[in-house]
Amino acid sequence: MKPADELLLIPHEEGFRAWRAKGDQISQVDAEGRSWKNAGWVALPARSIVSVPMRIQGADGERRESAAQLELEAAGFGQETSDTHAFELQSLPIGEERDAPVTAVIQASALPESVLAAADHARFAPSVAFHELKPGEVLMWYEAGGLVIAIPNAKGSPLHCQGLSARALDADAASEVRCVLAALDLAGVLPELDSICISSSNEAEDIVPVSFENGLDLPVTVRRAGPPILPDRASRLVPAPIVQLRAERQQRRLVMMGVAAFTVVLIAALSAFALRVLVRERSLIAEQARLRGLESQLESIREARANWEDLRPALRPDLYPVETIFQLIQLLPPEGIRVTRFELKLDAFVIDGEASSLGHGIEFRDKLVAAPALSHWVWDVPQPTSLPDGRATFRAEAKPKSDAPLTEEGQEVTSL
């Protein structure tokens, strides 16, 4: 099925013309080069390619193309054939024998800027592919003011096409045609030819010049040039600027795909993070709401705890001031010690006294420090002081241990 509504850019007598293909109908487009856009097909002028017909014996498939490349390298075209887009070996039509002549087509020159600007997404093919060839008939036409000759093989497929240096149908053009046919005959690829046909849209050339016709061995006819035909397939020949443009576009596409993929991954990561933050925030809000609901219960618990702390001294009889006084009395000997000051506070315990001798004072100090009932105090008892009359005075101070619970603030007991 042929493509519909495509723009075709094909070289003619004065240069490139634009044609519009709609279904099976092809009509010329009245538009200048600067308005050409998005061409579907571009014909490579005969002068921009080099056609090299050859006969390769006993090879097929990839070996045929490799053999053709070796032949072209021997002919001085090694650099051109190294580029995939600058070299093509025209395949054999179905049904032809394996040793039939083949044609190597090499792209030699660039296209006009106006054509390249519209050929970004176009398919390319040699201009001969847009002309209808008949077996046994040499076809000639004009391209950019010069003559082009195309020789078909026995099946009507293009065997050779090239631009001639002649610009008019005269004896020089006839001589050049004979040279082309002689070269093909010398290469052993010249098919049987019956006539030469001139395809032209110029009404003044309906009659072939005698000088041209007399210089040839084949009869010459003139045929009015009709609309072009669409090729069966696209060629792999692509101009270097278009190849570079497509490679850059592909590179940009890959970069954009990479950026897009990175952006998607980044957005996904940020979305996952934002989702986690949202879930955590909602969890915190729910937990805060739950704690606010427990606030009344917590307040009652705090009050109960404070009450228990207030009651703690009452639950330990060993901290009662009366109990402390009783324990101190238990330490006093029957004689020899007199307490002159007894002071008990929340954070201090002070005892002043007199001993009948220094030995009694030291003995009482040792009992006071070692008393189990008073072990929750940290004692500081200096050496008793001797008086001139043999007596001794002593002072004992104590602080509560850090782990010892205290009684109600401000509690104080003083006794003599």
Side-chain angles (χ1 to χ4, degrees), residues 96 128-141 149-160 181 191-199 218 221-226 229:
E96 289 195 4
V128 66
F130 294 85
H131 293 268
E132 183 178 1
L133 301 182
K134 298 179 180 179
E137 181 185 76
V138 177
L139 183 64
M140 297 180 65
W141 67 90
I149 182 173
I151 295 94
N153 60 13
K155 301 293 184 177
S157 301
L159 175 66
H160 178 62
L181 297 180
E192 294 185 4
L193 299 176
D194 301 327
S195 62
I196 298 177
C197 178
I198 310 298
S199 176
L218 297 173
T221 59
V222 177
R223 184 169 66 211
R224 301 288 287 175
I229 63 173

Side-chain angles (χ1 to χ4, degrees), residues 45-47 127-128 139-143 146-150 161-164 166:
R47 286 179 172 77
S127 60
V128 66
L139 183 64
M140 297 180 65
W141 67 90
Y142 286 93
E143 280 187 9
L147 284 168
V148 176
I149 182 173
C161 178
Q162 76 174 68
L164 304 179

Side-chain angles (χ1 to χ4, degrees), residues 208-224:
V208 180
V210 177
S211 60
F212 177 76
E213 189 172 12
N214 291 339
L216 297 172
D217 298 330
L218 297 173
V220 180
T221 59
V222 177
R223 184 169 66 211
R224 301 288 287 175

Side-chain angles (χ1 to χ4, degrees), residues 91-112:
S91 60
L92 292 173
I94 298 176
E96 289 195 4
E97 61 273 16
R98 190 174 65 172
D99 296 335
V102 295
T103 302
V105 182
I106 303 171
Q107 187 176 199
S109 60
L111 297 175

Side-chain angles (χ1 to χ4, degrees), residues 77-97:
F77 293 104
Q79 184 176 358
E80 289 79 0
T81 58
S82 62
D83 187 355
T84 304
H85 298 285
F87 164 74
E88 180 183 42
L89 184 67
Q90 293 183 349
S91 60
L92 292 173
I94 298 176
E96 289 195 4
E97 61 273 16

Side-chain angles (χ1 to χ4, degrees), residues 9 29 44 49 97 138 144 146 169 195 201 216 228 237 250 266 327 349 358 374 387:
L9 300 181
V29 178
L44 299 173
I49 61 175
E97 61 273 16
V138 177
L169 296 173
S195 62
S201 59
L216 297 172
L237 301 177
Q250 180 67 16
L266 181 60
Q327 294 296 334
F349 189 7
L358 181 62
L374 302 177
L387 297 176

